[in-house]
Amino acid sequence: MAGVPEGTSLEIAFLTTDEEEKQRAAAILQGSLAACGVKLNISAQPVETLFAPGPEGALFGRNFSLAQFGWDSSLEPPCFLYTSQEIPGPYPEFPKGWGGANVSGYNSPDFDRACQQVLFTLPEMPEHRLAHSLAQSIFAEDLPVLPIYQRLKLAAARPDFCGVLIDSSTDSALWNLEALDYGDGCGQ
């Protein structure tokens, strides 16, 4: 790279939470990047510190080079999290002020239009699926964030137990508790 002396090491500051799961993922990433000659300097912070509001907070103040944190997922891709309207920053330049969710600062008018189409159509409409496909295609090309992994939701039940349905949009496998049942003939 022009202006960078030969042999200069690449070091990146990496913010994450102090949760054990995030620490393990950060260590794996650190080892993988080290194999490529990149030094990852991990800074583990309490959740409340990492997620502190802007402009002082690291994430929502957009004061970071690289960060790892958990973000909501749902049955449909959450394109609204990455629209330009969600970029945190000083109001009125940034419509949500420091409360925007797009901490990456990703700004793509094409993505915004596709996501708006998603938000203004119903899931059963063909336009909805096409808009999601376009938004995902733009997102995959630009790659403003890199999803590292998803948490799996698992449940175990005995053979004569019925009504267990794992739903990725819920926090608990017991979301439909009133539908759970057991015994002979269950599920018939």
Side-chain angles (χ1 to χ4, degrees):
M1 180 172 192
V4 178
E6 184 72 28
T8 300
S9 64
L10 176 57
E11 291 188 35
I12 302 171
F14 184 82
L15 299 179
T16 190
T17 67
D18 55 5
E19 299 165 286
E20 186 178 330
E21 174 187 341
K22 301 292 188 303
Q23 292 299 298
R24 286 192 312 266
I28 291 168
L29 185 60
Q30 185 179 48
S32 296
L33 289 175
C36 300
V38 177
K39 183 176 182 187
L40 197 64
N41 297 316
I42 299 171
S43 174
Q45 301 179 359
V47 172
E48 54 278 358
T49 301
L50 187 64
F51 284 89
E56 296 82 16
L59 287 180
F60 290 97
R62 296 180 48 226
N63 299 312
F64 65 94
S65 297
L66 195 59
Q68 171 201 355
F69 55 94
W71 215 230
D72 281 336
S73 185
S74 64
L75 294 174
E76 289 195 341
C79 68
F80 65 91
L81 292 174
Y82 302 101
T83 61
S84 59
Q85 293 176 349
E86 286 290 333
I87 298 172
Y91 184 84
E93 182 183 353
F94 297 91
K96 297 273 178 114
W98 292 105
N102 182 359
V103 298
S104 70
Y106 178 56
N107 186 349
S108 167
D110 293 335
F111 180 82
D112 286 354
R113 278 190 293 279
C115 187
Q116 286 300 318
Q117 182 72 24
V118 167
L119 298 173
F120 292 124
T121 55
L122 297 172
E124 57 272 3
M125 298 171 70
E127 297 88 354
H128 187 80
R129 173 177 267 151
L130 290 170
H132 258 311
S133 180
L134 178 58
Q136 289 177 35
S137 175
I138 294 167
F139 192 88
E141 179 70 28
D142 294 347
L143 206 58
V145 301
L146 180 62
I148 301 174
Y149 62 93
Q150 288 190 326
R151 288 187 179 135
L152 296 177
K153 292 187 178 185
L154 304 173
R158 62 191 210 191
D160 66 341
F161 197 81
C162 64
V164 176
L165 299 171
I166 303 300
D167 183 338
S168 64
S169 67
T170 65
D171 289 332
S172 170
L174 301 176
W175 67 273
N176 66 334
L177 182 62
E178 66 280 355
L180 300 178
D181 200 0
Y182 71 96
D184 294 334
C186 180
Q188 293 182 5

